[in-house]
């Protein structure tokens, strides 16, 4: 085939062969373009003892932004260090979001705790984090949700001036290239940023979306055009970080435009094991492991930790910054006594509210999906089966403008064992539950209605397991420890199960699955006691861990960084990622993390440009 279809051999072929070969080469080129290596900067390995103006640790949703923005200043040499490599081909295809190769993950698990994740393998919650350029933005489900204005006004009230909604909105807009036509002229959105925001929609799921929409309307539930606009409350089609049918991960969005700058250097497959701090509590570099070798790389101005809510606090503690008593138990010299690893918050999701009904959609064969995607980046592979239609509700007060529950959904065509197994293999749920779902799906479509707890009262914690930087820390989720959280989830289940009993659903003979959990055998199905028990079995993480290096005022004993994201008591060190959130936001955390990185980058520029009298031309400011 390769010999027959060489592009410059067409003179020797007939018309049919020429058409076939042109089509073959077009598909081949389309396939190769999905995972183009030239989208990302080349890998560099600095010499031992090399010095850079700024070192950014972690090339995820925050670090890629910070490194790209700092490299806009020509006189600064910036080194970005990433533990992973380039994103793989599969990660760029939205429809393959649940089938991304394991090499792109840090696979973390919480410590087993009674009443939490008991229906998961090892009775432990699975907390995957991205390990590649783009970090978790290269492996997530791409939802673009900023949160609620009250979240950020609350941050300011918690001792973080300058972080209210009015002050952070310009940074959301600065980052954004809104491609949804009806929203491009909105005062809440930007069109000149690097991050592409669009919609995912495919006829493959149209019947399900129409059925769910009809049920929502029948119950009189609110609709909203834009959950990132004036009001967040209600149900809407999802905005996502997808551009022309491909994932718009943050590395592609920010590092591709910056990769030709000679002052931006990227070190891949390199793991930072320690932040180097002298006796005057001044950071002077980092220790890095790559290819079995240890490197010392020096920083002239600052080291910025953007390694995420698990790795950033772990690295701080390994470097002597953290709870003094905990560090001393492990023989780590205490440099600065701060409550690193505390204040951990996450959104809790429930997988056990499942409707089954007669088929509303005919599944598209895989070969047709591939053809549609490769020819014009459309079809099911340009979308995901999860959460095309999402909602934000308040289970206590329908008139509230601050939600306590986010609603996701997950749809399976009849007899879609492959889809069920591939998706649930990523959640870590026990095989017995998965097989039960497969059996129920053989003759019926399935729709999981998944409530997500947005304002958890329960706090988790991160502790060092030992002094080995390559070992996972001890992770405690904080799920379902507070009665208020349990009560909110029960109200959400009662709220959402009404959708199963609408006239729209009855037309398709919808019923609610009675899942027989062994531990819950003594409880009558569909009672509060049953649902509480079910929450302990198949309630888990939606992967929005935040707060482990909390931002706050100097007089707040739980604060790790100040409102300009500098680590208290240490010079030349900041943390810029989701770990600084004082409280988790009302929705997916990728967009807020990018906003924090945009704002944090400006803090650094303000501090060092004026200090060194450096001429600077602002890029991409709206």
């Amino acid at each position: 085939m390769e010999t027959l279809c060489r592009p410059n051999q067409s003179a020797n072929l007939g018309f049919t062969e020429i058409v076939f070969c042109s089509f073959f080469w077009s598909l081949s080129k389309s396939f190769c373009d999905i995972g183009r290596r030239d989208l990302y900067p080349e890998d560099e390995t600095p010499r031992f003892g090399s010095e850079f103006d700024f070192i950014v640790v972690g090339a995820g949703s925050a670090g890629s932004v910070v490194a790209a923005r700092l490299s806009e200043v020509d006189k600064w040499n910036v080194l970005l260090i990433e533990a992973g490599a380039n994103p793989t081909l599969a990660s760029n295809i939205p429809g393959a979001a649940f089938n991304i190769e394991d090499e792109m993950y840090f696979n973390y698990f919480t410590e087993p705790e009674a009443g939490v994740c008991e229906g998961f393998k090892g009775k432990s919650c699975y907390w995957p984090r991205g390990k590649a350029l783009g970090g978790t933005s290269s492996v997530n489900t791409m939802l673009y949700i900023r949160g609620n204005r009250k979240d950020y006004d609350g941050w300011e009230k918690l001792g973080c001036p300058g972080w209210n909604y009015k002050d952070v909105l310009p940074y959301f807009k600065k980052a954004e290239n809104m491609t949804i036509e009806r929203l491009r002229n909105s005062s809440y959105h930007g069109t000149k940023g690097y991050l592409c925001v669009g919609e995912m929609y495919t006829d493959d799921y149209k019947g399900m979306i129409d059925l769910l929409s009809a049920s929502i309307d029948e119950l009189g539930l609110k609709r909203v055009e834009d959950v990132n606009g004036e009001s967040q409350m209600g149900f809407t089609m999802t905005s996502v970080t997808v551009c022309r049918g491909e994932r718009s991960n943050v590395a592609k969005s920010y590092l591709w435009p910056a990769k030709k700058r000679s002052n931006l250097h990227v070190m891949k497959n390199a793991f930072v094991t320690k932040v180097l701090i002298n006796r005057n509590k001044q950071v002077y570099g980092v220790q890095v492991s790559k290819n079995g070798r240890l490197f010392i790389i020096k920083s002239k101005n600052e080291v910025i930790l953007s390694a995420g809510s698990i790795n950033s606090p772990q690295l701080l503690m390994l470097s002597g910054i953290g709870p003094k008593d905990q560090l001393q138990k492990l023989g780590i010299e205490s440099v600065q006594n701060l409550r690193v690893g505390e204040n951990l918050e996450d959104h809790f999701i429930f997988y056990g509210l499942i409707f089954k009904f007669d088929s509303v959609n005919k599944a598209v064969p895989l070969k047709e999906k591939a053809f549609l995607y490769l020819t014009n980046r459309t079809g099911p592979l340009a979308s995901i089966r999860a959460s095309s239609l999402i909602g934000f509700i308040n289970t206590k007060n329908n008139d509230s403008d601050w939600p306590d529950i986010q609603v996701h959904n997950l749809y399976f065509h009849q007899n879609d064992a492959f889809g069920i197994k591939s998706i649930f293999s990523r959640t870590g749920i026990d095989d017995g539950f998965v097989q039960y779902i497969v059996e129920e799906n053989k003759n019926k479509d399935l729709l999981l209605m998944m409530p997500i707890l947005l304002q958890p009262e329960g706090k988790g914690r991160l502790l060092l397991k030992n002094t080995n930087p390559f070992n996972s820390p001890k992770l405690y989720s904080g799920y379902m420890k507070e009665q208020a959280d349990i009560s909110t989830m029960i109200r959400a289940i009662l709220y959402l199960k009404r959708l199963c009993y609408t006239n729209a659903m009855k037309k398709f003979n919808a019923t609610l699955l009675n899942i027989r959990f062994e531990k819950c055998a003594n409880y009558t199905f569909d009672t509060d006691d049953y649902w509480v028990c079910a929450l302990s079995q198949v309630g888990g993480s939606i992967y929005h861990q935040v707060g482990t290096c909390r931002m706050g005022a100097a007089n707040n004993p739980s604060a790790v960084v100040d409102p300009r994201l500098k680590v208290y008591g240490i010079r030349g060190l900041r943390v810029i990622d989701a770990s600084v959130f004082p409280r988790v936001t009302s929705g997916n955390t990728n967009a807020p993390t990018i906003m924090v990185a945009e704002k944090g980058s400006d803090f650094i520029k303000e501090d060092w440009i004026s200090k060194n009298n450096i001429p600077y031309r602002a890029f991409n400011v709206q």
Side-chain angles (χ1 to χ4, degrees):
M1 183 66 74
E2 288 184 16
T3 303
L4 172 66
C5 287
R6 280 183 187 148
N8 56 4
Q9 297 293 317
S10 60
N12 300 320
L13 303 177
F15 176 76
T16 302
E17 292 168 316
I18 292 173
V19 171
F20 174 78
C21 289
S22 296
F23 181 65
F24 174 84
W25 278 103
S26 294
L27 289 182
S28 298
K29 182 179 184 301
S30 177
F31 184 78
C32 292
D33 283 348
I34 296 169
R36 287 166 48 194
R37 292 187 61 83
D38 66 342
L39 292 175
Y40 304 104
E42 293 296 320
D43 183 23
E44 297 184 40
T45 302
R47 294 190 308 274
F48 188 100
S50 297
E51 185 176 65
F52 294 84
D53 293 290
F54 297 94
I55 298 173
V56 182
V57 179
S61 296
S64 291
V65 175
V66 173
R69 290 301 189 188
L70 295 184
S71 71
E72 292 173 349
V73 181
D74 297 339
K75 292 186 178 296
W76 288 343
N77 269 322
V78 179
L79 175 65
L80 176 62
I81 305 175
E82 168 55 41
N86 291 343
T88 61
L89 182 150
S91 73
N92 288 290
I93 304 172
F98 299 102
N99 304 99
I100 296 171
E101 297 88 341
D102 200 56
E103 69 196 65
M104 286 186 60
Y105 292 91
F106 286 106
N107 293 307
Y108 292 118
F109 297 88
T110 61
E111 298 297 303
E113 299 176 83
V116 181
C117 294
E118 292 182 346
F120 288 66
K121 295 173 184 176
K123 300 186 183 300
S124 176
C125 311
Y126 177 45
W127 284 5
R129 310 310 301 154
K131 186 174 71 171
L133 294 184
T136 302
S137 78
S138 293
V139 298
N140 65 4
T141 53
M142 295 157 279
L143 272 64
Y144 180 81
I145 308 292
R146 294 175 177 176
N148 192 281
R149 65 179 66 230
K150 288 191 175 181
D151 297 331
Y152 303 104
D153 291 344
W155 285 13
E156 183 164 74
K157 291 176 183 176
L158 289 170
C160 303
W163 289 93
N164 61 57
Y165 180 71
K166 181 180 177 182
D167 287 337
V168 302
L169 179 60
Y171 286 100
F172 280 117
K173 294 172 65 176
K174 179 181 180 181
E176 185 183 48
N177 174 19
M178 171 55 71
T179 65
I180 301 172
E181 198 58 42
R182 73 178 189 277
L183 300 179
R184 284 180 60 82
N185 294 323
S186 167
S187 61
Y188 290 95
H189 292 285
T191 58
K192 298 177 183 178
Y194 292 123
L195 184 72
C196 200
V197 178
E199 276 184 312
M200 285 194 295
Y201 183 80
T202 171
D203 287 341
D204 196 33
Y205 310 124
K206 183 177 186 300
M208 183 278 292
I209 293 171
D210 289 346
L211 175 58
L212 186 54
S213 297
S215 296
I216 288 167
D217 291 341
E218 186 177 326
L219 291 174
L221 305 182
K222 291 179 182 178
R223 294 296 197 107
V224 63
E225 182 177 64
D226 176 20
V227 297
N228 298 310
E230 180 65 27
S231 173
Q232 188 185 21
M233 303 299 294
F235 288 80
T236 189
M237 295 300 291
T238 312
S239 294
V240 287
T241 51
V242 169
C243 195
R244 293 182 291 277
E246 292 187 22
R247 177 191 293 270
S248 182
N249 72 58
V250 179
K252 184 191 298 184
S253 303
Y254 279 83
L255 298 183
W256 184 16
K259 75 187 188 95
K260 291 185 178 179
R261 297 175 191 157
S262 60
N263 65 332
L264 176 61
H265 310 271
V266 180
M267 189 178 187
K268 305 175 191 177
N269 295 305
F271 194 84
V272 176
T273 58
K274 190 174 184 180
V275 177
L276 303 175
I277 309 168
N278 67 23
R279 293 190 178 278
N280 295 320
K281 297 189 178 183
Q282 170 72 50
V283 168
Y284 63 91
V286 294
Q287 180 178 277
V288 188
S289 174
K290 180 173 182 177
N291 297 329
R293 297 174 57 201
L294 280 179
F295 295 79
I296 300 295
I297 303 176
K298 296 179 180 180
S299 59
K300 183 179 178 182
N301 295 338
E302 288 189 21
V303 169
I304 299 101
L305 300 188
S306 298
S309 292
I310 296 177
N311 292 94
S312 284
Q314 181 185 25
L315 186 52
L316 284 177
M317 288 190 281
L318 288 168
S319 306
I321 302 170
K324 185 175 182 179
D325 58 337
Q326 297 294 327
L327 300 185
Q328 289 180 337
K329 286 179 183 178
L330 294 173
I332 299 172
E333 181 183 354
S334 176
V335 177
Q336 185 71 17
N337 184 20
L338 296 172
R339 289 166 65 173
V340 175
E342 300 183 13
N343 194 56
L344 193 160
E345 292 185 340
D346 189 16
H347 290 145
F348 179 80
I349 187 171
F350 179 53
Y351 294 105
L353 185 65
I354 306 176
F355 306 159
K356 67 176 181 179
F357 44 86
D358 297 337
S359 292
V360 297
N361 269 108
K362 183 179 179 181
V364 177
L366 181 58
K367 61 183 179 181
E368 186 176 332
K369 292 180 183 180
F371 177 80
L372 288 169
Y373 190 75
L374 289 175
T375 51
N376 55 15
R377 296 292 190 269
T378 61
L381 290 179
S383 180
I384 57 173
R385 71 178 75 225
S387 303
S388 297
L389 183 67
I390 62 168
F392 290 90
I393 61 175
N394 189 296
T395 59
K396 284 184 176 179
N397 180 4
N398 283 331
D399 296 323
S400 173
D401 58 356
W402 199 8
D404 58 5
I405 290 289
Q406 182 176 355
V407 182
H408 281 201
N409 60 73
L410 187 58
Y411 172 65
F412 298 103
H413 296 107
Q414 179 183 316
N415 202 28
D416 186 12
F418 173 78
I420 292 171
K421 290 178 180 178
S422 63
I423 289 175
F424 279 107
S425 68
R426 274 288 163 215
T427 67
I429 287 181
D430 188 77
D431 292 338
F433 176 82
V434 177
Q435 189 55 43
Y436 172 79
I437 301 300
V438 168
E439 291 298 319
E440 293 290 340
N441 178 239
K442 284 184 176 178
N443 299 304
K444 295 282 187 177
D445 285 8
L446 296 181
L447 178 66
L448 280 71
M449 294 301 296
M450 301 177 291
I452 298 165
L453 182 69
L454 290 180
Q455 299 174 27
E457 294 292 329
K459 303 280 188 181
R461 193 177 185 190
L462 179 153
L463 299 171
L464 288 184
K465 191 176 295 181
N466 52 44
T467 59
N468 186 339
F470 299 101
N471 287 353
S472 168
K474 292 181 180 180
L475 302 169
Y476 297 92
S477 69
Y479 302 149
M480 301 295 101
K481 301 302 181 189
E482 300 293 335
Q483 183 58 46
D485 292 344
I486 297 172
S487 298
T488 300
M489 290 300 291
I490 296 300
R491 289 196 305 272
I493 291 169
L494 299 179
Y495 188 106
L496 293 176
K497 75 176 186 180
R498 296 182 299 155
L499 291 166
C500 187
Y501 304 116
T502 60
N503 291 326
M505 284 285 186
K506 286 178 182 177
K507 291 178 182 177
F508 291 88
N509 299 310
T511 57
L512 191 61
L513 278 192
N514 179 357
I515 305 173
R516 297 175 180 86
F517 299 106
E518 183 178 344
K519 184 179 177 181
C520 308
N522 294 330
Y523 301 116
T524 302
F525 175 67
D526 201 17
T527 61
D528 285 2
D529 287 341
Y530 168 83
W531 290 119
V532 171
C533 182
L535 287 167
S536 74
Q537 301 303 296
V538 291
S541 178
I542 194 65
Y543 320 126
H544 296 163
Q545 295 87 20
V546 305
T548 47
C549 300
R550 177 180 179 168
M551 169 172 49
N555 61 358
N556 185 336
S558 68
V560 175
V561 301
D562 69 18
R564 293 182 72 83
L565 309 182
K566 297 178 180 179
V567 175
Y568 278 113
I570 304 293
R571 295 197 301 274
L573 182 63
R574 292 188 211 232
V575 181
I576 302 180
D577 57 29
S579 71
V580 305
F581 290 17
R583 286 230 61 190
V584 69
T585 52
S586 301
N588 302 65
T589 51
N590 190 49
T593 301
I594 295 166
M595 176 276 292
V596 167
E598 286 278 16
K599 192 171 175 66
S601 300
D602 269 8
F603 287 155
I604 296 171
K605 288 176 179 176
E606 289 167 4
D607 289 349
W608 290 97
I609 287 175
S610 59
K611 193 176 203 177
N612 297 330
N613 196 27
I614 296 173
Y616 165 65
R617 176 173 62 89
F619 283 68
N620 202 27
V621 177
Q622 296 192 41

